[in-house]
């Protein structure tokens, strides 16, 4: 076999591909937690960032620390606003991360307003963002879509009902999107984390910080930057490589239900 043929390992290609210089990236839910960490990681690799979420002040806080970032106050539930803000723009990378859980009650005690908020944000919000941004990717035959799913979309747990259903929908969308986009130059991945310490549980328990803290007590839980580094790895692979489904557990978590606590 001649050196320099396609079958030869080319390590310099990998060194080169770690840069996102010249690429534009949209991250939804970039005002906090995992989305903020993803924005920081992609920016550190040279990408120009568009930071989307509802809280302008938090987006501005993140943007101030990045070399080239634009803030885009946006509620992903609002289809018309998402289309108006994103429909005429081009992105190399779209990370659909914005999402939330509300409540942990059995379904028979659940609040339909919570259900609507979760489904509107976690399912329709993702669809709105992808509907607005993927046509330009298809037209250019280039792009990376990364969905932030959850282990909750793979294993339901008590009280997880509608949140788990919303993340199961994200997983189905991932699978379906690959059929829609694989032959159009657009890669699709889903990164599905287990327990990551963010504001997620504060939001789920509507500001009950004590209850939220108990979720992570004694656990060597994941950090937002752990997920961010994986997203960066996904989008910096050579174009022939499409990492698909990445399930990321804390080493202290065996399943949605089994967590080893050290206290
Ligand atoms: P955070 O609460 O820290 O961050 C959630 C982000 O989503 C915020 O930036 C929030 O911004 C944004 N967001 C919420 N609703 C909307 C909306 N309607 N429009 C635009 N942005 C919105 O939680 P995480 O960082 O933990 O969550 C990020 C994603 O990760 C979610 O999809 C979550 O389901 C998923 N996930 C989290 C895990 C965890 O253990 N933490 C594990 C697995 C998955 P703002 O309020 O400013 O709009
Ligand atoms: C967040 C992880 O297990 O709390 O999606 O649902 S979990």
């Amino acid at each position: 076999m001649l050196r320099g043929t396609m079958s030869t390992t080319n390590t310099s290609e990998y060194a080169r591909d770690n840069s996102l210089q010249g690429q534009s990236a949209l991250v939804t839910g970039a005002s906090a937690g995992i989305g903020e960490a993803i924005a920081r990681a992609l920016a550190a690799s040279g990408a120009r960032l568009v930071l989307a979420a509802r809280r302008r002040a938090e987006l501005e806080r993140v943007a101030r620390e990045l070399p080239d970032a634009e803030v885009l106050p946006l509620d992903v539930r609002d289809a018309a606003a998402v289309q108006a803000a994103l429909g005429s723009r081009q992105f190399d990378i779209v990370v659909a991360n914005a999402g939330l859980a509300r409540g942990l009650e059995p379904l028979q005690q659940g609040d339909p307003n919570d259900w609507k908020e979760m489904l509107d944000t976690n399912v329709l919000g993702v669809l709105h963002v992808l509907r607005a941004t993927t046509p330009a990717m298809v037209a250019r035959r280039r792009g990376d879509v990364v969905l932030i799913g959850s282990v909750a979309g793979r294993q339901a747990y008590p009280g997880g009902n509608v949140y788990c259903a919303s993340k199961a929908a994200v997983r189905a969308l991932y699978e379906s999107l690959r059929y829609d986009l694989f032959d159009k130059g657009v890669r699709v991945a889903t990164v599905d984390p287990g327990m990551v310490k963010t504001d997620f549980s504060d939001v789920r328990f509507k500001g009950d910080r004590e209850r939220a803290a108990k979720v992570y007590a004694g656990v060597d839980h994941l950090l937002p930057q752990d997920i961010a580094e994986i997203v960066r790895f996904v989008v910096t692979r050579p174009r022939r490589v499409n990492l698909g489904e990445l399930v990321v557990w804390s080493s202290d978590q065996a399943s949605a239900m089994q967590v080893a606590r050290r206290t």
Side-chain angles (χ1 to χ4, degrees):
M1 181 82 56
L2 290 172
R3 272 187 287 168
T5 61
M6 284 177 69
S7 60
T8 305
T9 304
N10 185 347
T11 49
S12 64
E13 180 190 14
Y14 276 96
R16 211 173 45 240
D17 281 349
N18 281 330
S19 170
L20 294 173
Q21 211 69 45
Q23 295 200 39
S24 59
L26 168 71
V27 179
T28 68
S31 61
I34 295 170
E36 174 179 343
I38 293 169
R40 289 181 189 280
L42 299 184
S45 284
R48 290 191 315 277
L49 263 296
V50 174
L51 311 172
R54 293 165 300 177
R55 289 171 291 170
R56 177 188 282 276
E58 292 303 312
L59 292 173
E60 285 172 348
R61 172 184 60 77
V62 178
R64 272 197 294 276
E65 294 175 32
L66 303 183
D68 191 0
E70 174 188 339
V71 303
L72 185 62
L74 189 63
D75 187 332
V76 296
R77 294 172 296 179
D78 184 337
V82 171
Q83 186 61 35
L86 300 174
S88 58
R89 303 185 63 146
Q90 285 187 346
F91 297 102
D92 298 290
I93 300 164
V94 170
V95 184
N97 161 81
L100 80 181
R102 289 289 195 193
L104 193 63
E105 292 81 30
L107 192 84
Q108 63 274 20
Q109 293 164 18
D111 180 342
N113 293 318
D114 289 345
W115 304 344
K116 182 166 166 39
E117 188 176 4
M118 287 186 274
L119 294 170
D120 282 354
T121 309
N122 301 356
V123 184
L124 285 173
V126 170
L127 289 170
H128 297 154
V129 169
L130 296 181
R131 182 66 184 85
T133 55
T134 52
M137 288 180 166
V138 169
R140 295 168 64 216
R141 295 194 65 81
R142 185 184 173 91
D144 274 293
V145 171
V146 182
L147 309 178
I148 303 300
S150 171
V151 297
R154 297 168 174 267
Q155 301 175 349
Y157 51 82
N161 42 65
V162 176
Y163 178 70
C164 295
S166 75
K167 289 299 185 176
V170 171
R171 185 161 180 225
L173 281 174
Y174 152 76
E175 284 185 23
S176 184
L177 266 175
R178 283 179 45 79
Y179 291 112
D180 295 338
L181 297 172
F182 84 99
D183 57 353
K184 299 183 174 54
V186 183
R187 302 188 294 194
V188 183
T190 181
V191 176
D192 297 351
M195 293 170 73
V196 188
K197 192 160 189 301
T198 63
D199 294 339
F200 178 84
S201 292
D202 290 333
V203 171
R204 166 170 254 172
F205 300 129
K206 302 173 182 173
D208 183 343
R209 290 185 167 265
E210 209 175 314
R211 190 173 177 198
K214 283 187 187 146
V215 172
Y216 310 102
V219 181
D220 194 11
H221 51 74
L222 295 166
L223 299 173
Q225 52 265 40
D226 299 325
I227 307 307
E229 282 305 313
I230 288 162
V231 171
R232 170 154 68 173
F233 187 76
V234 167
V235 299
T236 52
R237 293 313 85 205
R239 294 305 301 176
R240 65 179 177 277
V241 180
N242 188 160
L243 287 169
E245 302 174 55
L246 292 104
V247 182
V248 191
W249 297 100
S250 140
S251 302
D252 280 354
Q253 192 177 14
S255 74
M257 296 285 293
Q258 287 166 293
V259 178
R261 294 192 192 271
R262 294 151 195 253
T263 50

